[in-house]
Every structure is written in structure tokens, then in C-alpha cells.
Amino acid sequence: MSGSALLLQFLNGLAGANSLFLVAAGLSLIFGVSRIVNFAHGSLYMLGMYVAVWLAPATGFWAAVLLAALIVAATGALVEIGVLRRLYQAPELLQLLATFALVLIVRDFALWAWGPQDMLGPRAPGFGDAVFIAGAAFPRYDLLLIALGPLVFVLLHALLTRTRWGTLVRAATEDREMAAALGVNQRWLFTGIFGLGALLAGAGGALAVPREPASLAVDLAAISDAFVVVVVGGLGSVPGAFLAALVIGEVKAFCIGYGYSEITLAVEFIVMAVVLVLRPWGLLGKPLPAPRGAAAVEPPLGRIDRKAALALACLAALLAGLPLAGDEYTLVLATDILVFALFAVSLHFIMGPGGLASFGHAAYLGLGAYGAALLLLRAHAPTEAALALAPLLALGGAALCGWFAVRLAGVYLAMLTLAFAQIVWSIAFQWDSVTGGSNGLIGVWPAPWLASKSAYYYLALLVCGIGIALLWRALGAPLGYTLRAGRDAPLRADAIGIDVRRVQWIGFAIAGTFAGIAGALYAFSKGSISPETLSVPRSVDALVMVLLGGVQTLTGPAWGAVLFVWLQDELAREVEYWRAAIGAVVLALVLVFPRGLAGYLKERFAR
Amino acid sequence: MALLEVRGLSAGYGRARVLFDVELELGAGEVVMLTGRNGAGKSTTLKAIMGLIAREGDLRFGATPLGRLEAFEIARLGLGYVPEDRRIFTALTVAENLQVGRRAPRPGLPAWDEARVFALFAPLAAMKERPGARMSGGEQKMLAIARTLMGNPRAVLLDEPSEGLAPLVVRQMAAALAELKRAGVSVLVCEQNAQFAARLADRAYVIERGTVRPA
Ligand SMILES: Nc1ncnc2c1ncn2[C@@H]1O[C@H](COP(=O)(O)OP(=O)(O)OP(=O)(O)O)[C@@H](O)[C@H]1O
Ligand SMILES: [Mg+2]
């Protein structure tokens, strides 16, 4: 690449860094004060894009940018008042889930309001042409963005360091309780900071309009980029977000410039993983203080006593009789339920007793599914071999991601696992020649002896039943106890000779493998797979199932899966905007049953 | 009528009950000492009054019941709180720490401003721009008190002002406390150093196993 081409790539990276910075700075500010990772921040960015494209014909470009930013800011403030304000005391996971529910709702809102097609926006008046830099054309608008990023940074910095409001924000970031004891009303502070964060995201989206079309996939793309930026820069640090946005912006620009746009995400992930391992709190971040009043110590999981075992045996017998009674539709639904029950139980295995809440568990489901499909279609392996070998791919993925994951905790862990899943997704999505790209793979049908719905149902019942039983058994065995010890008292566990990281790593790999088994079964039951199998929303489905059932219960997650799959099936049939409906249900559950259904029932009847 | 009145206060952390039926009063312009062994519940009493932990009982400040109020509302009524562990905002400078505590003056009381708190704690005046993270424990203690005074409180809950201070600084602190008393600020002070507080205090309570009796 020539010198001038290099220069242009570099400038391109700077321009891209602008919107990265705007989104990440808002995310970081909000996290700093409220300790909430706002999953919906990418959705606010997307909303900013759509609103700007929508308004521009009527108001002109610049007014549209301004109005979009303000409308998104107001939305953010309303969301804080209506939802998040009720969740500041709730466990981290529930906060993440609630903001994810908002992602679903915003996306369906955009679908309803603006339709499924991408929308091209106008160019900025006066900035539509190119300038010549070192003999090559460069969009004038991008130069404006390059200047805008540092300007916003300086303004934001001045706001935070030169005004009383900014001082209060920084004080509350450090010690909310003490700020309150000095008479600072946090409510308005929090609403204000959410509004500001949303303003930045909305402005970022609106300003990106001349560079890219508004589309429904922007939300998750923006949020995973922003996650990478804040993790690299340090959560809660605005200068960190600025620096990291530059780094990531350049990484992206050069990957794309050299024609490797497919591996951008992978390179981002590597940058993030390296930073996290070397400086677990990011380049300019500070180690997070342990939250005041940290999680209460949970009672041990229940065990399957004789009565429960009997009940489960009866259930198994009932399930075995289902093909005699049910029609094909019921059998397909029941197979789905079994597969997702195993999936949910495998996530619970590492998330409950292991304490490692993975936000990308669908990656292993998807690896299992793609593994099975590829073995069948590309290697022409028999069904049985495909089913048996596919989970190994999931094992490999889980071992890789898990190696990093066990070094992290809390939101950092959530972001890393999410980013890993997003990479696996983008590989499946973009590697057309092998994975079939966005269309996925079709013709994944099992061998003739499994072709009937009832035969396949029996296979699923057998495999999932054994899988779930094994996982539950392991939780009551030394492996489960050491996992718990590592979660509740890592130092003490270490002192009595438990290699905590190793145990967690093994746990993570096991969980991934069982998710892979579920994935392989899933592929053959559907006959086709698409990247959606391992998308982020699918990972969140798994979290919802587990939380629905109750993290601190043994059998709850399986029931959560039953309820969730059934509910999704009903909703998808009856309601057009079923994603938003699921989002609303999740939101309601988080607000009403913070301990999950099984947890709630247990508490209710333990009295 | 007492400025601060506490009746039947019980509080604790999670399931552990620490206070049972605490009764105490603080009159206008009074300095009252609260003593007791380590772990007796002195700090817990102050936190409970301030609304920083869940509590039950009848609490009243002036004419206002505190039961349903949040910490920031209690602070705005004019009840200041200086925690035992200081809790300076370490990322903020001395001046900024003071700014966080600043509130509108109260009618009838002379207002506290930077100049006045610096007169009270002279060492702080020399380090206005220094971040809290780079201050000694004693300096932080002074800043914590100064910061609370910036809110123009009518009464201050002061937790262990002399803890960990060199004798000279303890004397400075005692002088500052005497100055507060002259300025008409009521003080409820937890103190291990009996000598320190006894000279200033009008009355004292002893707290033992979570209940209070007059000394
Ligand atoms: N955050 C907390 N969580 C649980 N228990 C606590 C907490 N803080 C204090 N305690 C317990 O409450 C009791 C009273 O503590 P408190 O801090 O009020 O004592 P104190 O009288 O201020 O002691 P000291 O003289 O050491 O400051 C002690 O038994 C202590 O162990
Ligand atoms: Mg104490």
C-alpha cells in the first residue's frame, strides 16, 4: 500500500472513531454513575439514525441531526425514569436483561415505524463532495467528523470538570451513598446522565447517516463495537473511551482497507482480549471497587431427593408417552423444548454455581449446530457420527473463550463472552463458501431411521434427558462444589488447594460442550440452520430461560426453558411484533420477579 | 424541644440486628457524645439516623419525621454526616469536594463558605487543588468535616473525629469542634477518646449491645 493510501486509511479510521467515541462515551458515562451496562445503547444509536433519516426531508440535514439527538436524549431520560430507576439495587444480570429487553422493543418499534428496508439518508449540505489529500479523494464530510470527535471530547471533559453538575456526577461515580449524605439528589443526576448518554448516542447515529444507511442490524453492531471500545479504554473513563475509539477505529479501517473486512471483528476481539489479560480494567480505567453490599450469600442448590426423583421419573414416563397422544406439531414443539432445556441447563451449570454469566452461550449451540451440518453436508458423515462429533467443535470454542473468560468477572465477562459470540456469528454470516453465509445451510436431515417426528423426539428425549441428568449430577459432585467454592470464596478456595481458574475453565468447557450437543440435535430437527442460531438474541434467550426459572435453583432453568419456548411459540403465532412482546414480558418479569419463577415459588412456599 | 429526637430506633445489616430500641436526643446548640466499645453500634446509629441503612423507629429532626425520607432529603433538612472512614471523593480536588457539599445558606445562621472552612482548618487552604487521593488521613478527616459544613447544617453527626490523628492534630480538631459549638451547630459525636470529647460535650450516652443509656 502506498503512502497516500495509508494516509487515507488512517483518516478513514479517525472518521470512524468519531461515532465509536460518541456511543462508547455515553455508555461509559452511564456505567460510571449508575453501574448499569446499557445494552440498549446501540439501539439509541440506531434510533438516532432512523429519526435523522426520517426528519431530514422535512427539516433539512442539520436540524434533523439536532432534533434526532434531542429526541433520543428524551427517550433515554424516559427509559431511566420508567425502567432503570427501579433496578439500581437489582443484581447486575437483571439490569443487563432489562436493557436487552429494551433492545428488542426498540428494534420492533423501528420495524413498525420505518419498515424492514435499509434507509439511505441525505448527504450533509456543503459537505457532499470530496477533497484531495496527497492526490487522493477523501470525503469532505469525514474531515468534519474527524474534527468533531475531539471537539465533543473537549466539551464533555469541560462539562465534567468545570461545572458543578459535572463535579456531582464524578462524586456520585465514586461514592453514591456519600454524595446522597451530602444532599445530592441522585435521581435527577441519573436521569440527566442517561439523557446525556442517549444524546451522545443519538447524535452519533444521526451524524453517521451520510456514511451508512439506517438498518435494523445497526443496534447490535453498534453495541458490540461500543463494548469493545469501553472495555479497551476502561469502563467509566471518558478519556479511555476516546483513546480506545481511536485504536479500534484504526483497526477497523485498516482491516477493511486491506480487504479483510470479514476479520475486523476477530481482530477487535483479539485487541480486547489482549488488553483484558494485560490490564483487566482497560487502558485508562481503574479497578472497580467491589459494589457496596455485594451479593448476598446464596443457600446451596437443592438436591434431587427421593420424592423429586420419583416425580422426574413420572415426568419422563409421561414424556415417553407423548407421541401416542400428540400430533406432529406438538412433537416438534416438544423436541424444541427438550433441546432448549438442555441448552438452558448447560448455561446454568456455569452461570449459577460457576458464577460466570456468559452472554454468548449461543455461540456453542451454534458451533454444535454448524458442526453437525458441516459434517453431514461437507464431510458426508453419517448422522450418528455428525451428532457425536459436532459437540467437539463447541468444546473447542468454549475452551478458547473460556480461557479468557475465567480471568474476568461481572460486566467485563459479559462483554467478552458477548464479543466472542458476535465473532462466531460474523464468521458464520460472512464465510459464504463454507457456512452458506446469511442463508445458512439447508438439507440437514437425519438418517432414515430418525426421519419420523416421533423417532427424532425419542432421540431428543433420551439425549437431553441424559445430558440434563449428567449436568445436575455433576453439580452435586465434587466438581460442582469446587465451582461454587470458586464463586463464593475464591481466595479461600485457592488456599485449600483448588485451582479456581482451572476448575472454572473446565466448567466452562463442559457447559459449552453440552450446549453443542443441544445444537447438533437442533440442526437435525430443523433440517436447516442459519446464523440466527448463534446470534446475540439467542444467547439472551438462554439467559432469560435461566433467570425465568431462577439462577439459584437446580431444576428451575429447565422449567424456564419450557415456559420460554412455549411462550415464544404462542407469541410468534399470535403477535406480529413478537420480539417486542417478549421484551415486554422479560421487562415485566425482571421488575416483578427478580428471583425467577422457581426462586419466587420456593420463597413463597418456604414460608 | 430537642432538635433531633430518636425513639425506639432499631437497625442492622441484612439479617444481623445491631441496634435495639435506641433512644436519644440532641438539643439545639448542644454537643452530645456517644461512646461505647468497638462494635457496640455507634457508627450504625449514625448511619441509621441518616437513612443510609434500613431502620425502624420514630426519628424526628426539628418538626420533620425522618422515617420516610431518603438520605439526600435528610441532608437537605440540615443534618450533616461525617463518616468514620471519611469517604473523601478521591478523584476530586479539595475545592471540588467542598463544592459537592455546598448548599444554600439557612436563614438565621451565618453561611459557611470556602474562606470560613479554611479558617477553621488552616492546612486545607494550602492544598485547594490537590486531589483527595493524595491527602493524609488527618487532612482527609478535616476535609470530610469541612465538606459537611459547606451544606450549612443545623446539626452534624460526627463519627470518630480524632481517630488516628497525631496529638497536635487532635488539639486542632478539638479547637474546631469548640468553634462549631460557638457557631451554634449541634453535634452528635461518636468518640473513643473520652478526654477529647468530654471537655466539649454537654452530655454523653453510652451504647452497649445495641441499646443506649445516659452516661
Ligand atoms: N457493613 C456491615 N455489615 C454487617 N455488619 C456490620 C457492618 N458494619 C458494622 N457491622 C457490625 O455491626 C456492629 C456495630 O458496628 P459499628 O460500626 O456500629 O460499631 P462502632 O460502635 O462504630 O465500633 P467502632 O468503635 O469500632 O467504630 C458490629 O458488630 C459490626 O460487626
Ligand atoms: Mg464506628
Side-chain angles (χ1 to χ4, degrees):
Chain A
M1 213 180 242
S2 70
S4 77
L6 270 180
L7 177 68
L8 281 191
Q9 275 328 323
F10 178 73
L11 289 176
N12 217 343
L14 288 184
N18 173 61
S19 48
L20 282 178
F21 168 64
L22 287 178
V23 181
L27 189 68
S28 212
L29 274 177
I30 291 176
F31 176 82
V33 178
S34 68
R35 293 278 177 259
I36 286 189
V37 173
N38 182 21
F39 231 128
H41 218 64
S43 309
L44 295 172
Y45 175 84
M46 178 180 81
L47 210 57
M49 286 186 100
Y50 272 107
V51 173
V53 174
W54 175 60
L55 287 178
T59 65
F61 177 78
W62 295 111
V65 169
L66 195 67
L67 282 171
L70 290 176
I71 290 173
V72 174
T75 312
L78 284 179
V79 163
E80 197 276 338
I81 294 172
V83 179
L84 299 168
R85 186 173 279 188
R86 288 155 225 281
L87 291 175
Y88 290 131
Q89 308 302 328
E92 222 162 51
L93 261 174
L94 290 192
Q95 298 173 341
L96 281 168
L97 264 187
T99 59
F100 190 81
L102 293 171
V103 171
L104 297 179
I105 294 171
V106 172
R107 186 183 280 200
D108 263 7
F109 171 78
L111 177 64
W112 170 79
W114 295 291
Q117 273 87 33
D118 291 6
M119 281 168 71
L120 266 177
R123 303 202 157 216
F127 289 90
D129 58 342
V131 290
F132 285 85
I133 296 173
F138 188 74
R140 188 185 293 275
Y141 184 72
D142 287 13
L143 279 184
L144 179 73
L145 290 184
I146 292 175
L148 212 57
L151 181 71
V152 172
F153 173 60
V154 169
L155 283 178
L156 209 54
H157 194 72
L159 178 68
L160 288 175
T161 54
R162 296 265 179 277
T163 66
R164 177 165 146 91
W165 187 78
T167 308
L168 296 185
V169 167
R170 284 184 297 137
T173 301
E174 195 173 323
D175 190 341
R176 275 192 247 175
E177 202 180 60
M178 193 60 227
L182 290 168
V184 177
N185 183 355
Q186 326 247 339
R187 275 212 200 96
W188 292 114
L189 211 57
F190 281 32
T191 309
I193 209 82
F194 258 89
L196 176 64
L199 182 88
L200 290 171
L207 285 169
V209 158
R211 278 166 62 94
E212 52 175 325
S215 87
L216 291 173
V218 162
D219 52 356
L220 288 179
I223 195 65
S224 24
D225 274 348
F227 276 179
V228 173
V229 170
V230 293
V231 167
V232 169
L235 267 173
S237 161
V238 174
F242 188 69
L243 181 67
L246 291 180
V247 172
I248 301 297
E250 291 302 338
V251 166
K252 281 172 90 97
F254 278 93
C255 282
I256 295 169
Y258 281 99
Y260 298 118
S261 55
E262 297 83 13
I263 61 159
T264 316
L265 267 172
V267 176
E268 276 179 43
F269 179 80
I270 292 167
V271 172
M272 167 160 132
V274 169
V275 169
L276 277 181
V277 170
L278 296 181
R279 274 185 72 88
W281 49 90
L283 293 176
L284 299 184
K286 282 191 222 103
L288 294 179
R292 282 181 185 272
V297 175
E298 298 290 343
L301 292 179
R303 306 198 60 158
I304 306 244
D305 52 15
R306 189 161 294 174
K307 238 169 43 192
L310 200 66
L312 285 175
C314 291
L315 181 69
L318 258 176
L319 286 175
L322 189 67
L324 307 176
D327 53 11
E328 279 214 339
Y329 187 85
T330 315
L331 283 183
V332 171
L333 181 62
T335 307
D336 265 8
I337 287 179
L338 287 168
V339 165
F340 282 103
L342 176 59
F343 182 43
V345 169
S346 77
L347 174 62
H348 172 247
F349 181 78
I350 191 61
M351 167 178 168
L356 301 175
S358 166
F359 264 70
H361 206 56
Y364 317 112
L365 180 84
L367 284 172
Y370 271 95
L374 291 174
L375 280 166
L376 182 82
L377 300 174
R378 306 268 187 258
H380 307 289
T383 308
E384 298 80 0
L387 277 174
L389 295 178
L392 294 179
L393 190 60
L395 170 65
L400 177 66
C401 182
W403 191 86
F404 293 106
V406 298
R407 285 162 170 73
L408 304 170
V411 290
Y412 285 101
L413 176 80
M415 292 184 182
L416 179 104
T417 48
L418 181 111
F420 181 82
Q422 187 72 11
I423 288 166
V424 176
W425 174 84
S426 69
I427 293 172
F429 192 81
Q430 291 170 338
W431 199 6
D432 269 322
S433 55
V434 174
T435 61
S438 58
N439 297 324
L441 297 165
I442 50 170
V444 193
W445 295 115
W449 65 276
L450 286 170
S452 80
K453 296 294 176 220
S454 56
Y456 201 79
Y457 169 77
Y458 279 123
L459 178 76
L461 182 61
L462 190 72
V463 173
C464 295
I466 293 176
I468 291 173
L470 280 176
L471 285 172
W472 283 349
R473 178 74 195 85
L475 288 183
L479 177 65
Y481 292 141
T482 44
L483 271 175
R484 260 209 69 142
R487 178 193 80 183
D488 290 343
L491 289 179
R492 264 179 269 172
D494 208 37
I496 59 169
I498 299 172
D499 185 343
V500 173
R501 280 188 183 165
R502 214 176 101 92
V503 171
Q504 290 182 330
W505 189 36
I506 293 172
F508 202 97
I510 291 177
T513 310
F514 279 83
I517 296 174
L521 281 171
Y522 183 72
F524 280 109
S525 84
K526 293 289 166 221
S528 68
I529 48 168
S530 72
E532 213 197 321
T533 319
L534 37 67
S535 64
V536 172
R538 177 78 71 184
S539 294
V540 177
D541 287 353
L543 286 168
V544 175
M545 294 173 204
V546 172
L547 292 170
L548 204 56
V551 193
Q552 302 305 341
T553 61
L554 182 62
T555 59
W559 299 114
V562 174
L563 189 64
F564 184 89
V565 176
W566 172 78
L567 191 70
Q568 191 175 32
D569 184 70
E570 290 290 308
L571 282 175
R573 263 188 302 164
E574 305 290 334
V575 187
E576 189 177 359
Y577 296 103
W578 59 276
R579 269 176 220 290
I582 290 208
V585 171
V586 170
L587 216 50
L589 281 170
V590 167
L591 292 173
V592 182
F593 304 112
R595 296 185 60 84
L597 277 186
Y600 171 75
L601 294 176
K602 207 165 85 178
E603 223 163 68
R604 214 37 225 277
F605 292 108
R607 294 272 149 87
Chain B
M1 192 174 74
L3 180 59
L4 174 69
E5 205 178 296
V6 176
R7 298 269 166 258
L9 170 69
S10 59
Y13 303 91
R15 284 198 192 147
R17 302 283 84 201
V18 175
L19 302 181
F20 311 89
D21 208 19
V22 167
E23 311 258 329
L24 54 84
E25 284 183 2
L26 177 65
E30 236 186 347
V31 174
V32 172
M33 178 163 79
L34 184 60
T35 61
R37 284 180 303 100
N38 292 123
K42 302 183 293 292
S43 303
T44 306
T45 306
L46 300 195
K47 283 187 233 172
I49 295 174
M50 207 56 209
L52 295 174
I53 54 176
R55 77 292 210 233
E56 275 161 40
D58 285 331
L59 299 131
R60 205 177 43 71
F61 186 64
T64 320
L66 302 183
R68 304 197 154 278
L69 299 187
E70 290 181 52
F72 84 90
E73 293 167 312
I74 295 175
R76 286 180 177 193
L77 286 178
L79 189 57
Y81 169 62
V82 181
E84 187 173 10
D85 48 358
R86 309 180 293 267
R87 293 170 78 168
I88 292 302
F89 302 112
T90 53
L92 274 54
T93 64
V94 169
E96 286 172 335
N97 266 284
L98 294 178
Q99 209 182 68
V100 174
R102 198 186 74 211
R103 306 224 69 82
R106 262 160 239 291
L109 282 177
W112 289 93
D113 54 17
E114 259 190 20
R116 193 158 163 230
V117 298
F118 285 158
L120 193 61
F121 298 109
L124 294 182
M127 49 180 81
K128 268 180 73 170
E129 296 307 319
R130 189 178 302 183
R134 288 199 276 113
M135 298 170 76
S136 77
E139 289 159 357
Q140 289 194 354
K141 203 112 220 184
M142 294 180 207
L143 178 57
I145 299 175
R147 182 176 66 178
T148 299
L149 290 179
M150 290 293 284
N152 295 302
R154 291 196 278 162
V156 175
L157 308 176
L158 190 53
D159 203 347
E160 310 270 4
S162 76
E163 186 191 31
L165 300 186
L168 180 70
V169 189
V170 171
R171 246 172 286 147
Q172 276 180 2
M173 195 58 87
L177 206 58
E179 178 63 35
L180 276 191
K181 188 176 176 183
R182 257 197 303 283
V185 181
S186 315
V187 182
L188 178 62
V189 55
C190 297
E191 193 47 72
Q192 298 284 355
N193 183 342
Q195 273 180 321
F196 170 80
R199 260 182 291 142
L200 295 160
D202 300 308
R203 294 185 291 124
Y205 292 103
V206 179
I207 184 163
E208 212 166 2
R209 275 189 246 108
T211 30
V212 158
R213 61 176 171 77

